[in-house]
Each structure stands twice: as C-alpha cells, then as structure tokens.
C-alpha cells in the first residue's frame, strides 16, 4: 500500500483525531437510517442500494465512461436512500478519491433538489476488502459514512477488532457473508448492535465469480444459521442480497428473482452491474426498474 508508505500510522491517526475534533470537517452520517425510513415510507418495499464500481474481475469494465459525480447525481435524483462505492483498487478499479467525490456529488445534488422539508444527501458505504485498521482511518478521512467487512477474509478476532475500530470512528458496519459458516462466525464473534446490516452474496470469494442462478443468496437467506443469528441480533436486522441482482433471470424475468429474494426474507439488495447494464440517460424511474411497485 503506497499510501501507507507515504503516511506513517501515527501521522494518519493524528489527522483522524484532528478531523474528528474539527467542527468544520465532514462527519460520518447515519447510513442505515435513511434506508429504514425509505422502506417504512413505502410500506416495507424492497430497497435497492445502487453500487458504483468501475469493473468486475470476471467481466471487465462495466461502463465506457465511469463518472462518479454524474452517477451519484443520477442515483440521488432517482431517490436512492443510500449509495455504495466500491473503492477496491486491485479487483474493481476503485480509488479512495471515489468516496470523496461521491459524498460531494450526493450533497450537491441534494442541495439542488432541496425543498422546505429539508435536504437529505444519500450517505456513502465504502465497499473494499478491509484487512487492517489503517484502511478504516483512510476511509474515515475520505468521507465514508459506513464500511463493509467481508467475514470470509477475516478471523473471528480481526472481525471483532475491526468492528470496534469502525465504531470508534463513528462508521457503521455492513457484514458480507457467502457461506453458512461465515454467518455462524458473525453470530459468535459480534454482539448485538455492533453492525448495522448483513449482506448475503452470490459471489464466490475464492474466484470472485458468481453463482449465476442466484441460489447461494437464497440458500443463505433461508438457512437455520441466519435464523439463529437474527434471534441473537434481532429479527429486525436488515439483511441485503448482492451479486448479479438485476441480471439473474427466472423464467426470463429479472424481477422474478427479486421476488424470490423478498419471499426468502431479504430487506433489499445492492445492485451494481445490474444498473450498469441499463440504458444510459437514467431518469427517476431507474431504481424502480428492478422492483415491481
């Protein structure tokens, strides 16, 4: 990590402390709150969280032109309650600057759309393969509101430690799992209230490919392990699905798979490639394309 070489950990910690004490600096916002409010306002509808990413390891580039400010503006205008930004530079072509650009674009778009009811800019989840606290400090300074942790890439001890560090930085945590064993790891390692949401993925974390028929996420949603986790962490814990949502077809219809996710108990889904494949010139209905009203 060249950034790590340029900025020693003590210096980075000092920057974080100054930022946290400075009343003029940006502070992490509630990420899960607007999502819950969006679902409540629409009588518990399936919530789509758009994800911006330059590329997929198995697909290559997703867009001819990857313009973070333009995409975030479109998602904000379309009514996204929150946004995910993939800033992993190794596999997904992301950068730390994408987080900052997304936060600024969301705020600008929200201000332009402001009404007498107030301005709400979609908060930003930083999606990255986080393995050590140094990354959390960088993301905090970049303007992230929440971060994702991949359970399969962390030991029980590291999962607990990184979750505690994130909390100290006022960053909400979303845990991503791809197996039932990982669900048990989360249940055994973390206390109730220590993370904001869980995400079950169709991705194979060894090959970074996908279960193309989407059965992996369905199986996790319907598992006894998830039921047990929700007994400990609360039945109201939001559980999202991710991985090819919007591209997986059942009987030739992508919305049929979303219906299966809903029936299996998913609260919503992260959608990246599924939105990237839609026509450009997005309008306010784009986030509703995948979900029947």
């Amino acid at each position: 990590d060249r950034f790590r070489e340029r900025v020693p950990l003590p210096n980075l910690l000092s920057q974080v402390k100054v930022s946290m004490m400075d009343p003029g600096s940006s502070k992490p916002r509630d990420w899960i709150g607007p999502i819950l409010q969006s679902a409540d306002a629409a009588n518990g509808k399936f919530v789509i969280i758009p994800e911006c990413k330059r590329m997929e390891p198995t697909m290559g580039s997703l867009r001819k032109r990857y313009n973070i400010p333009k995409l975030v503006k479109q998602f904000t205008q379309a009514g996204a309650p929150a946004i995910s930004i993939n800033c992993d530079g190794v596999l997904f072509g992301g950068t730390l600057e994408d987080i900052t650009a997304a936060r600024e674009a969301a705020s600008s778009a929200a201000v332009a759309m402001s009404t007498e009811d107030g301005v709400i800019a979609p908060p930003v989840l930083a999606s990255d393969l986080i393995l050590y606290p140094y990354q959390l400090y960088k993301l905090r300074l970049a303007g992230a509101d929440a971060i994702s942790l991949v359970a399969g890439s962390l030991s029980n001890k590291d999962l607990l430690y990184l979750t505690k560090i994130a909390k100290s930085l006022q960053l909400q945590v979303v845990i991503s799992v791809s197996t039932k064993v990982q669900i048990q790891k989360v249940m055994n390692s973390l206390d109730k209230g220590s993370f904001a949401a869980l995400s079950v993925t169709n991705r194979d974390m060894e090959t970074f490919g996908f279960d193309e028929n989407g059965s992996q996420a369905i199986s996790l949603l319907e598992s006894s392990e998830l039921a047990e986790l929700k007994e400990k962490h609360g039945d109201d814990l939001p559980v999202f699905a991710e991985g090819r949502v919007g591209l997986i077809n059942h009987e030739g219809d992508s919305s049929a798979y979303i219906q299966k996710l809903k029936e299996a108990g998913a609260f919503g889904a992260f959608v990246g490639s599924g939105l990237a494949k839609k026509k450009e010139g997005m309008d306010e209905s784009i986030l509703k394309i995948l979900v029947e009203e």
Side-chain angles (χ1 to χ4, degrees):
D1 190 338
R2 285 175 288 179
F3 187 92
R4 194 174 187 177
E5 295 175 358
R6 293 199 305 267
V7 183
L9 180 58
N11 291 11
L12 185 62
L13 283 171
S14 295
Q15 292 177 26
V16 171
K17 290 179 180 178
V18 169
S19 176
M20 293 180 72
M21 292 188 299
D22 181 3
S25 66
S26 61
K27 301 294 188 293
R29 301 161 296 185
D30 180 12
W31 185 82
I32 196 64
I35 297 172
L36 298 177
Q37 292 171 12
S38 175
D40 289 343
N43 298 317
K45 75 170 183 179
F46 192 85
V47 180
I48 296 294
I49 306 300
E51 180 177 44
C52 299
K53 51 187 173 184
R54 281 180 172 80
M55 58 181 288
E56 269 285 348
T58 60
M59 297 170 60
S61 178
L62 296 177
R63 292 180 173 87
K64 293 181 179 179
R65 295 180 180 179
Y66 185 66
N67 186 322
I68 282 281
K70 180 180 179 180
L71 286 172
V72 170
K73 178 182 178 181
Q74 291 174 330
F75 289 141
T76 301
Q77 293 174 337
I83 293 172
S84 174
I85 302 295
N86 195 310
C87 55
D88 181 295
V90 177
L91 295 170
F92 297 92
T95 68
L96 199 64
E97 289 73 23
D98 291 343
I99 302 296
T100 305
R103 184 183 180 110
E104 292 174 351
S107 296
S108 296
V111 169
M113 297 167 57
S114 63
T115 66
E116 59 184 15
D117 296 325
V119 178
I120 299 178
V124 176
L125 169 74
S127 177
D128 196 356
L129 182 60
I130 297 173
L131 301 175
Y132 42 82
Y134 193 94
Q135 293 169 278
L136 296 179
Y137 302 136
K138 292 197 295 183
L139 292 170
R140 173 65 169 78
L141 290 174
D145 300 300
I147 56 97
S148 64
L149 294 177
V150 179
S153 67
L154 300 167
S155 67
N156 292 40
K157 181 179 178 181
D158 288 339
L159 181 61
L160 174 61
Y161 181 57
L162 289 173
T163 301
K164 288 184 175 180
I165 294 294
K167 183 177 181 179
S168 73
L169 297 173
Q170 302 173 325
L171 297 170
Q172 292 182 343
V173 176
V174 176
I175 307 291
S176 177
V177 296
S178 58
T179 68
K180 296 174 184 178
V181 172
Q182 292 170 17
I183 293 176
Q184 291 177 318
K185 176 193 290 188
V186 173
M187 181 177 64
N188 296 331
S189 302
L190 302 179
D191 294 329
K192 181 178 181 179
S194 58
F195 58 102
L198 188 78
S199 180
V200 297
T201 179
N202 282 312
R203 190 184 293 278
D204 183 328
M205 297 309 297
E206 292 186 1
T207 65
F208 284 92
F210 293 100
D211 170 19
E212 294 293 341
N213 64 18
S215 60
Q216 179 169 298
I218 297 291
S219 176
L220 294 175
L221 287 166
E222 296 177 338
S223 68
S224 59
E225 288 81 0
L226 182 58
E228 189 176 355
L229 181 143
K230 295 186 80 170
E231 284 183 12
K232 175 180 177 180
H233 291 271
D235 192 55
D236 59 348
L237 175 72
V239 180
F240 295 91
E242 62 177 307
R244 309 290 283 176
V245 178
L247 295 178
I248 296 173
N249 289 322
H250 277 259
E251 300 178 355
D253 183 5
S254 62
S255 64
Y257 179 64
I258 287 183
Q259 184 60 37
K260 290 191 67 173
L261 290 173
K262 293 168 67 175
E263 293 171 354
F267 182 86
F270 291 97
V271 182
S273 303
L275 289 176
K277 295 302 180 181
K278 299 299 178 184
K279 294 180 179 179
E280 295 190 11
M282 193 182 324
D283 60 25
E284 294 183 1
S285 65
I286 189 64
L287 297 182
K288 300 177 182 178
I289 288 178
L290 304 177
V291 185
E292 298 267 331
E293 291 289 357

